[in-house]
């Protein structure tokens, strides 16, 4: 039996890598498009875009490993069933559950790999992404803004305008910054002759500041030789360095974001989405065990098993699983279903299917 186990393990590796590669490529298409936009629209260095591209890979792999493993199991066990090798194993007294065991252990190994990527590798990759973004904003200001376009951040009451951006010198000229405060309809205005982009900040030179009361009368007029403004000022929530995108937060940051904002009515939905992201990153790796288990049950004893049929069934199950995950998110946001309940529904359905088909196959034998 050890020889058969070794044979199955060896057979599972290449098809699973093939499946993981396919699904990773599909999910990386959006990242590729974003990377190309960064490269051409913002005149960014090619190597920086390549670095960004590869930093994203660990987070994508966490999602695609279960999918690829399921496809690999379906192809391998489907092939064994098609060539009657499964029948030969059963004829020699090997039980169904003994046949399932290699795939189950394979899924368990991939679960630990996925959790390792999510807990240890992905946070470091995300940290590098944010460091890189910080540096790129200081060296390529056009990735932050465009010339002669007024941009606003309504959430923080800021607006700004840059007349000319020089990427080579990481500088800008004729910089206008508006800051709306409280109920005052008139913002505080800062005018700068030029500005320099440094990591994390914009340094304004030769600044003139103007403040107005609620009637529009000038209250304060001040001049500064130099003034520093955090780059995070110009981003809305969920973007930039101070408020990262959820995809750029690690598990600790997502949980912290949830705790800090769940009681704020205006931020409750964003907080729930952060908690959803936490559960999604955990249920993905754990799905590997159930998908590998289910893959064997759907292949063994299927008279029509083959590579084409196995590939088709695997796609149906995978996209069905993704659809259930997305539906669970909707139930959380629209129907106030607890996140800890709704996000485990997809894996629970997989578990029920595994038990159902296991009992069904066992009774046939």
């Amino acid at each position: 039996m050890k020889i058969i186990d070794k044979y199955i393990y060896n057979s599972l590796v290449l098809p699973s890598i093939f499946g993981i590669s396919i699904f990773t490529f599909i999910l990386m298409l959006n990242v590729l498009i974003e990377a190309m936009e960064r490269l051409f629209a913002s005149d960014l260095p090619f190597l920086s875009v390549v670095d960004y591209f590869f930093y994203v890979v660990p987070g994508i792999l966490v999602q695609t490993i279960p999918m690829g493993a399921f496809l690999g199991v379906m192809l391998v066990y489907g092939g064994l069933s098609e060539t009657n090798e499964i029948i030969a194993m059963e004829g020699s007294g090997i039980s169904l559950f003994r046949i399932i065991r290699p795939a189950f252990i394979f899924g368990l190994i991939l679960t630990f790999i996925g959790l390792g990527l999510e807990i240890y590798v992905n946070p470091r990759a995300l940290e590098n992404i944010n460091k890189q973004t910080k540096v790129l904003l200081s060296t390529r200001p056009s990735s932050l803004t465009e010339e002669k376009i007024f941009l606003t951040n309504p959430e923080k009451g800021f607006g700004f305008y840059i007349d000319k951006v020089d990427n080579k010198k990481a500088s800008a000229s004729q910089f206008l910054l508006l800051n709306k405060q409280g109920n005052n309809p008139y913002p505080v205005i800062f005018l700068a002759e030029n500005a320099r982009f440094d990591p994390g900040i914009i340094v304004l030179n030769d600044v003139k500041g103007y403040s107005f009361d609620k009637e529009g009368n000038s209250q304060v007029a001040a001049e500064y030789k130099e003034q520093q403004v955090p780059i995070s000022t110009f981003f809305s929530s969920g973007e930039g360095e101070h408020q990262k995108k959820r995809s750029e937060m690690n598990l600790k940051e997502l949980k912290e974001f949830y705790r800090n904002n769940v009681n704020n009515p205006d931020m409750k939905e964003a907080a729930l989405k952060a908690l959803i992201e936490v559960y999604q990153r955990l249920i993905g790796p754990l799905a590997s065990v159930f998908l590998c288990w289910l893959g064997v049950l759907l292949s063994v004893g299927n008279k029509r098993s083959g590579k084409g049929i196995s590939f088709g069934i695997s796609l149906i199950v995978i996209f069905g699983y993704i659809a259930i995950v997305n539906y669970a998110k909707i139930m959380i946001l629209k129907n106030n279903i607890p996140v800890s309940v709704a996000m485990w529904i997809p894996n629970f359905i997989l578990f029920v299917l595994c038990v159902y088909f296991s009992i069904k196959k066992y009774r046939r034998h």
Side-chain angles (χ1 to χ4, degrees):
M1 193 60 206
K2 289 182 179 180
I3 296 175
I4 295 176
D5 286 347
K6 186 177 180 180
Y7 171 67
I8 294 176
Y9 287 134
N10 291 335
S11 300
L12 284 171
V13 173
L14 288 180
S16 296
I17 292 175
F18 168 73
I20 293 169
S21 300
I22 288 177
F23 292 114
T24 300
F25 175 75
I26 293 172
L27 293 185
M28 287 291 284
L29 284 177
N30 286 336
V31 179
L32 180 61
I33 293 172
E34 182 181 350
M36 296 304 291
E37 288 177 351
R38 287 187 174 210
L39 179 63
F40 295 112
S42 300
D43 190 28
L44 300 180
F46 177 74
L47 289 180
S48 296
V49 176
V50 172
D51 286 343
Y52 171 80
F53 187 79
F54 283 105
Y55 288 145
V56 176
V57 171
I60 300 291
L61 284 177
V62 173
Q63 304 175 53
T64 59
I65 284 176
M67 302 177 187
F70 179 66
L71 176 58
V73 168
M74 287 289 295
L75 292 175
V76 170
Y77 278 84
L80 293 175
S81 186
E82 186 181 24
T83 57
N84 297 320
E85 291 176 82
I86 295 294
I87 295 176
M89 292 181 194
E90 293 173 341
S92 62
I94 301 174
S95 67
L96 172 65
F97 296 110
R98 187 65 183 83
I99 295 172
I100 292 174
R101 193 173 80 171
F104 186 87
I105 294 174
F106 185 70
L108 197 61
I109 292 171
L110 292 179
T111 293
F112 286 117
I113 291 175
L115 290 173
L117 285 172
E118 187 58 67
I119 295 172
Y120 298 107
V121 178
N122 199 36
R124 290 169 175 77
L126 295 178
E127 184 179 347
N128 286 329
I129 287 176
N130 290 303
K131 284 181 179 178
Q132 185 193 60
T133 301
K134 194 174 182 180
V135 172
L136 287 178
L137 289 176
S138 67
T139 57
R140 292 293 189 276
S142 62
S143 62
L144 168 67
T145 184
E146 298 180 45
E147 296 179 348
K148 297 179 174 61
I149 294 180
F150 187 79
L151 300 177
T152 62
N153 179 352
E155 294 180 6
K156 301 189 98 178
F158 282 97
F160 69 102
Y161 171 92
I162 297 178
D163 187 61
K164 188 174 181 180
V165 177
D166 188 336
N167 271 334
K168 292 182 179 179
K169 296 181 179 179
S171 63
S173 59
Q174 302 303 320
F175 192 104
L176 167 66
L177 174 64
L178 304 181
N179 180 17
K180 189 176 183 301
Q181 298 179 337
N183 297 322
N184 192 335
Y186 299 98
V188 177
I189 299 175
F190 295 95
L191 300 173
E193 290 293 327
N194 56 74
R196 183 179 76 255
F197 290 77
D198 289 335
I201 61 171
I202 299 177
V203 181
L204 306 178
N205 298 312
D206 300 323
V207 185
K208 293 182 179 180
Y210 303 92
S211 177
F212 305 88
D213 60 22
K214 292 184 179 181
E215 283 70 41
N217 300 315
S218 178
Q219 283 186 318
V220 178
E223 295 187 12
Y224 309 93
K225 190 65 178 176
E226 183 178 283
Q227 186 175 13
Q228 296 183 355
V229 181
I231 286 180
S232 59
T233 300
F234 307 104
F235 292 100
S236 359
S237 294
E239 299 176 3
E241 186 230 353
H242 79 297
Q243 286 282 354
K244 305 171 186 174
K245 297 178 183 178
R246 286 189 300 276
S247 60
E248 295 177 354
M249 294 183 187
N250 58 41
L251 294 177
K252 183 179 179 181
E253 290 170 332
L254 287 167
K255 291 177 182 178
E256 184 178 353
F257 181 86
Y258 170 76
R259 287 193 298 268
N260 293 339
N261 295 282
V262 67
N263 295 321
N264 183 347
D266 296 331
M267 294 294 293
K268 186 173 181 180
E269 183 173 336
L272 285 175
K273 288 180 179 179
L275 189 59
I276 288 171
E277 184 76 18
V278 172
Y279 277 89
Q280 184 171 350
R281 293 187 190 184
L282 294 176
I283 67 170
L286 293 173
S288 296
V289 173
F290 300 122
L291 286 171
C292 288
W293 182 2
L294 184 62
V296 178
L297 297 170
L298 293 177
S299 302
V300 172
N302 188 347
K303 294 180 180 180
R304 295 184 177 181
S305 290
K307 291 184 178 179
I309 297 295
S310 298
F311 188 78
I313 293 174
S314 64
L315 288 181
I316 292 172
V317 172
I318 288 168
F319 287 112
Y321 178 80
I322 294 173
I324 295 172
V325 170
N326 289 327
Y327 182 69
K329 296 178 185 178
I330 294 173
M331 288 196 299
I332 294 168
L333 297 174
K334 302 299 182 182
N335 300 324
N336 296 319
I337 304 297
V339 180
S340 57
V341 174
M343 291 305 293
W344 283 108
I345 290 176
N347 281 10
F348 179 73
I349 291 175
L350 286 180
F351 174 73
V352 170
L353 288 174
C354 289
V355 173
Y356 169 76
F357 283 111
S358 294
I359 294 173
K360 189 175 180 180
K361 296 287 184 182
Y362 180 77
R363 287 178 177 175
R364 284 185 181 179
H365 289 75

